[in-house]
C-alpha cells in the first residue's frame, strides 16, 4: 500500500477541486451513496474506510449531524485536509492506517467507502468485505461507492472510452489529465460488479444490491441481518 499512500499524499491539496472533473455525474453518484446509508439511529456510529479528504463523510454528517464518525485512511496528507474540513466538529475522529490490515474496531451502524477499495488486490477486497461485516452491528449497512470492471471485454472498453471522453472534454490541465491517467493505470484494480456482489453475500450480508451505476462507477449496498 505504500505506493498508494505516496500517490495520494502527492495530490491531497488539489484532490477535492478535481473531483467533479474526474468523476462523471459525481453529485448523483455521491447522492446515491448518502441515500443508501440508512440507519434507525439519528446519531449512528460510522466508519469511513479510505476516507481521504472526507468528501463522503461531510455529506453523511449533513444527513446525520449527531453521528460519531471515524475517518480511516493510509494517507496522512489526505487526512490533514479532512481534519481542516472538520475542524469545528467534535464528533469526528481520524485514524491513519492501512484498512486492509488494520483492526477496524466497532461495532458501527454504518460503514462507508468512496473510490478507495478498488485499489486493493482481489483477495484483499474479499477479506475486507468480511472484516466490514464483522465490524457492523446487527442491522448495520455497508455502502461502497467505487469502481467496477465491465462484465465482458466489450463493456470494459466501452466504459473506459466513456470515461476518457469525459476527462478529455473537461477543464483539467494537460498535467492534471496526465497525472490522473497515470494513477488510474498504475493503481486501479477494478473487479467485476457481479464478483463484488458475490463476495458481499459470501461475507454474510443478507441484503445486497446496486443502487447506482454509471458505467465504471457503482454504489453497492449490503445489509447485515
Amino acid at each position: 500500500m505504500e505506493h498508494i499512500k505516496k500517490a495520494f499524499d502527492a495530490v491531497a491539496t488539489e484532490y477535492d477541486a478535481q473531483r467533479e472533473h474526474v468523476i462523471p455525474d459525481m453529485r448523483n453518484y455521491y447522492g446515491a451513496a448518502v441515500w443508501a446509508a440508512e440507519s434507525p439511529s439519528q446519531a449512528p456510529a460510522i466508519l469511513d474506510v479510505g476516507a481521504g479528504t472526507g468528501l463522503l463523510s461531510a455529506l453523511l454528517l449533513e444527513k446525520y449531524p449527531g453521528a460519531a464518525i471515524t475517518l480511516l485512511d493510509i494517507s496522512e496528507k489526505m487526512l490533514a485536509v479532512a481534519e481542516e474540513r472538520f475542524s469545528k466538529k467534535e464528533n469526528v475522529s481520524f485514524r491513519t492506517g492501512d484498512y486492509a490490515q488494520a483492526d477496524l474496531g466497532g461495532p458501527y451502524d454504518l460503514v462507508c467507502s468512496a473510490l478507495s477499495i478498488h485499489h486493493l488486490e482481489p483477495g484483499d477486497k474479499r477479506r475486507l468485505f468480511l472484516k466490514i461485516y464483522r465490524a457492523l452491528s446487527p442491522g448495520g449497512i455497508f455502502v461502497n461507492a467505487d469502481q467496477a470492471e465491465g462484465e465482458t471485454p466489450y463493456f470494459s472498453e466501452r466504459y473506459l472510452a466513456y470515461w476518457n471522453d469525459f476527462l478529455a472534454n473537461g477543464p483539467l490541465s494537460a498535467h492534471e489529465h496526465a497525472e490522473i491517467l497515470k494513477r488510474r493505470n498504475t493503481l486501479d484494480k477494478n473487479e467485476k460488479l457481479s464478483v463484488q456482489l458475490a463476495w458481499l453475500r459470501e461475507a454474510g450480508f443478507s441484503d445486497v444490491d446496486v443502487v447506482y451505476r454509471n458505467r465504471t462507477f457503482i454504489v453497492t449496498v449490503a445489509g447485515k441481518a
Side-chain angles (χ1 to χ4, degrees), residues 21-217:
H21 310 307
V22 175
I23 310 302
D25 194 37
M26 190 193 87
R27 296 190 183 191
N28 286 331
Y29 176 55
Y30 275 83
V34 174
W35 175 85
E38 279 296 285
S39 173
S41 171
Q42 288 303 301
I46 303 175
L47 174 66
D48 189 345
V49 172
T53 63
L55 281 172
L56 180 55
S57 289
L59 294 170
L60 289 173
L61 281 174
E62 291 180 10
K63 183 174 183 177
Y64 299 111
I69 188 162
T70 301
L71 282 71
L72 171 60
D73 200 276
I74 199 170
S75 169
E76 294 96 338
K77 292 187 178 180
M78 294 284 274
L79 283 181
V81 176
E83 288 184 29
E84 184 175 348
R85 181 196 297 275
F86 299 114
S87 61
K88 297 181 181 179
K89 300 287 187 181
E90 296 181 357
N91 53 338
V92 180
S93 59
F94 307 89
R95 286 180 56 195
T96 303
D98 175 2
Y99 59 75
Q101 304 297 328
D103 180 1
L104 299 182
Y108 303 100
D109 300 300
L110 293 169
V111 176
C112 63
S113 186
L115 294 168
S116 183
I117 295 173
H118 68 279
H119 296 307
L120 298 182
E121 297 289 348
D124 290 329
K125 289 186 182 77
R126 194 174 183 178
R127 285 186 288 272
L128 178 65
F129 290 169
L130 179 58
K131 285 174 59 175
I132 290 171
Y133 177 83
R134 291 172 174 170
L136 281 166
S137 300
I141 287 187
F142 169 42
V143 178
N144 186 25
D146 208 18
Q147 296 175 199
E149 190 71 8
E151 294 294 315
T152 67
Y154 169 80
F155 282 112
S156 293
E157 291 176 10
R158 291 291 310 277
Y159 294 167
L160 190 60
Y162 166 79
W163 193 4
N164 284 339
D165 184 63
F166 176 81
L167 291 170
N169 287 285
L172 296 173
S173 69
H175 173 74
E176 289 172 325
H177 192 179
E179 286 299 309
I180 288 162
L181 293 181
K182 180 180 177 182
R183 289 202 306 272
R184 188 180 71 183
N185 293 336
T186 58
L187 301 181
D188 289 7
K189 297 177 175 61
N190 295 345
E191 185 54 80
K192 293 177 182 178
L193 176 57
S194 60
V195 173
Q196 295 186 54
L197 296 175
W199 287 343
L200 289 167
R201 296 186 184 99
E202 178 187 84
F205 289 102
S206 53
D207 288 313
V208 177
D209 210 340
V210 184
V211 298
Y212 175 95
R213 181 162 199 172
N214 181 17
R215 289 78 163 184
T216 298
F217 298 93

